[in-house]
Structure formats: structure tokens, C-alpha cells
Amino acid sequence: MKLFGALMGLTGVMFLASLFVGYAAIPIPEGLAALFGQGNPLFVTVMQEIRLPRTLLAAMIGLSLGLAGAAMQGFLRNPLAEPGLIGVSGSAALGAVVALQTGLAAAFMLALPITALVAAALGVGLILLLAGPRGSSLTLILAGIAVSAFAAALTSLALNLSPNPYAASEIMFWMMGSVANRAMDHVWLALPIMALGWLILAGLGRGLDALTLGEDAAEALGISITRLRLQLLVGTAAAVGAATAVAGAVGFVGLVVPHILRRFAQGRPSTLLWASALGGAAMVMAADLATRLILPDRDLKLGVVMALIGAPLFLHLIYKTRREVA
């Protein structure tokens, strides 16, 4: 309960900071009134149309990536596993690139996230086809790597053959990941799909706890490994696919957050699921806050900041683990 309270408090503080810290200085009382459509019309516009959707998306994306990362590590029993391992992020990115390259994104505001979601679903379907209904964890990983590599190759091909340098530049900036310049339409598009993914992944706790004893022991306890793998893939596809669709590629969250919180969860995957969800939400909101404070006059991307934060943290965790083993 202490862990839950601490993470809830941290997430709440980050949520409020994300709402009230920005380029335009808005006092807290006026900002709260503006959230409900009252007071200065300029404050209402800033709070309702800029900061609220940005904050909500950052929290949703962090929750999705943290939860999916903990579920993936629990199922594969590998602390190096992360959601991008099964190719969902790469497939969604490819769909977004197609929308940008063909001009669909310019013709219709939500064409980019919708295309990315469709591509993510197709990518997971291909992984299921390649891995088979009873494929091993190794087969699943190999299928995910193959789909991810193929999607990355097609994305690079689209950039290589792009006749318009502005389109290529837009693709590159989108792939860096960001929640800036997003509207509530993006929130309402992603939320139902993410929520479905959250429900599916949250239901994996008992199965993942049993899986720590080994696959044979888990099946003896009544856990269907095939069903567990299908739930993992569908839940990850919904949560991570929707996150990538609306924000681009944001890495390291699903890898680093479960690593940091594992010792506080006593190594129990069921506890780590919700802990990583809250921790992921707090980390992404903090990273997005950093994009506004470090270089407020430049369009610093969330994915870049997350990589700058996540990579050193991960290297520190590797060094610490190596010392503990030695």
C-alpha cells in the first residue's frame, strides 16, 4: 500500500505540474477555473485545448508503455524485454509514415493515428500467424523481431524515395515522438483502444505470477499459456499501438520503469503491472515537462528526452545488476 500511495502521489504531482507549468504563466486559481470554461477566454483556450490534451496523452502513453513493458517482461521472464520487441511500435510507425507520405494526414487530421492503428493491428496479426497458436516464447520473439525489422525497412524505404523533402522532414520529426500540438480528438480516439489494452493486460496478473514457477507448473495450476500469450499480444497491440499512433515513437519507458520498480514490488509480476503503469505515467509526464522547460523556444521532442533519460538509467541498472551478481 505504501508503494501504491507513493506512486499515486507522484503521478498526481506530475499531472498538476504538467497542467500548470508552461510557456504561458497561468496562476493556479485562474487555471482551475479555465479548465471548467470560466474566466479569461485566453486561459480557457490554453488550458482546455493545449495543456489538458497534452497532459492526458502523456499520462495515457506512459501508463500504456509501463504496463505493457511489465507484462512483456513477466511473460517472457526476461528483464530486457519491452513492448517494441513484438513489432507493434514499428508497425504503427510504418502506418503513420504511409499516411504522411501519401498526403492522407494533410487531408484529414485523424488519418495519421487511424492508419497507424490499422498498421499495428496488421503487424500483430502477422506475428500471430508467424508464431502459430502454440509457438514458444522464442518463436514469438523471433516473429516480433522479423516484423519490426521489416516495418523499419519499409519506413526507411519511404524516406529514401520521398520526392518531397518537407514530407521526409515531417516523417522524421513525427518519429521522434511528441504530445505537443495534440487535441482532445486524439485523446478520444486513443482512449477507448488504450483502455481495452489496459483491461486485458491488467488481467494477466494471476497467470504471470504462476508463470514465475515455470510453464509446466503454471499449466498445472490451470493457466493456459496459449491464452495468456494471446491476451498479451492483443493487450500490447491495443495499448502500445494506440500510444504510438497518437504520439510517435517513445522508447525506454516499458524497459526502464519495470526495472526501477521491480525490487519495490518484491518481484511479483501482478504487483509490478499496476506499479509500472503508474510509474510510466509519471515518467512520461516528467519527460514532457522537461521538453517545455529545457528549451522552451525550440520544439524539443518527447522521444528524444525520454531516450536521454532512459538510456543512462538503463546503463546504471545494468552496472548495478552486474555488481550484485559479482
Side-chain angles (χ1 to χ4, degrees), residues 171-292:
I171 290 170
M172 289 298 297
F173 277 113
W174 182 87
M175 291 178 65
M176 291 179 187
S178 177
V179 289
N181 303 318
R182 302 300 191 268
M184 288 302 295
D185 288 341
H186 293 90
V187 174
W188 297 127
L189 174 67
L191 182 59
I193 301 167
M194 284 187 182
L196 175 63
W198 300 340
L199 288 174
I200 294 172
L201 292 173
L204 298 177
R206 178 175 173 270
L208 295 179
D209 283 347
L211 200 58
T212 58
L213 303 173
E215 291 190 4
D216 293 338
E219 289 181 340
L221 292 171
I223 303 299
S224 170
I225 302 300
T226 302
R227 181 179 177 184
L228 197 68
R229 179 171 57 248
L230 181 61
Q231 286 180 276
L232 175 74
L233 285 175
V234 173
T236 301
V240 178
T244 307
V246 295
V250 179
F252 284 98
V253 181
L255 184 63
V256 172
V257 172
H259 262 287
I260 295 173
L261 297 175
R262 182 168 284 108
R263 66 173 57 192
F264 301 105
Q266 286 81 47
R268 288 191 61 188
S270 57
T271 302
L272 190 60
L273 287 176
W274 61 258
S276 296
L278 292 173
M283 178 172 276
V284 173
M285 285 190 288
D288 181 53
L289 199 57
T291 64
R292 306 181 220 173

Side-chain angles (χ1 to χ4, degrees), residues 55-83:
T55 300
L56 288 173
L57 280 176
M60 289 159 53
I61 289 162
L63 195 157
S64 297
L65 295 175
L67 180 60
M72 189 70 64
Q73 291 180 14
F75 179 79
L76 297 176
R77 287 164 289 171
N78 186 342
L80 295 178
E82 56 100 20

